[in-house]
Amino acid sequence: MTKEEHVKVMGYAGVIYRKEFTPLEINAWYEFFKDIPYDICKGAIKNCAIKYKYMPSISELLLECREADMKKRMEILYLMYQDGYFKRGVEEL
């Protein structure tokens, strides 16, 4: 995720949890979330808003991001399976 996207995500989290982040906090969190796609991170914040009354910690949000990423990957694999992708050109895998 780009720095600009990260600022948007942090702003989104700030609105949900009524918290203003300092530039130092934004930079610190960016170190942990820079390799996570924007849509995965934003979806994880939505899920956290349902689960947690208070702002999640970095580790809680990272765990939620991993779960969201795994769910997305499994959905893609399922669609590939339904489409017959794994049977094309060779014996079934």
Side-chain angles (χ1 to χ4, degrees):
M1 142 173 42
T2 66
K3 189 85 167 186
E4 293 79 23
E5 289 172 332
H6 178 69
V7 170
K8 286 181 189 179
V9 165
M10 294 299 287
Y12 183 72
V15 168
I16 291 173
Y17 288 104
R18 298 183 198 144
K19 176 176 176 27
E20 287 192 35
F21 294 97
T22 66
L24 184 62
E25 288 174 314
I26 291 172
N27 288 331
W29 281 61
Y30 182 67
E31 290 299 314
F32 291 94
F33 294 96
K34 63 184 173 187
D35 296 327
I36 298 173
Y38 172 78
D39 60 328
I40 296 292
C41 194
K42 187 171 180 182
I45 290 172
K46 285 181 182 180
N47 291 339
C48 285
I50 295 167
K51 290 181 179 181
Y52 305 113
K53 183 176 181 178
Y54 300 105
M55 179 75 186
S57 66
I58 289 174
S59 61
E60 290 169 329
L61 189 53
L62 282 172
L63 180 62
E64 198 65 43
C65 287
R66 284 189 203 111
E67 289 175 4
D69 185 49
M70 184 59 70
K71 182 180 177 185
K72 183 178 179 179
R73 289 173 190 257
M74 294 305 292
E75 288 171 356
I76 291 169
L77 282 173
Y78 182 70
L79 290 173
M80 291 169 72
Y81 173 77
Q82 282 185 318
D83 188 46
Y85 177 83
F86 299 110
K87 295 181 181 181
R88 293 187 186 152
V90 294
E91 292 183 35
E92 183 175 358
L93 298 176

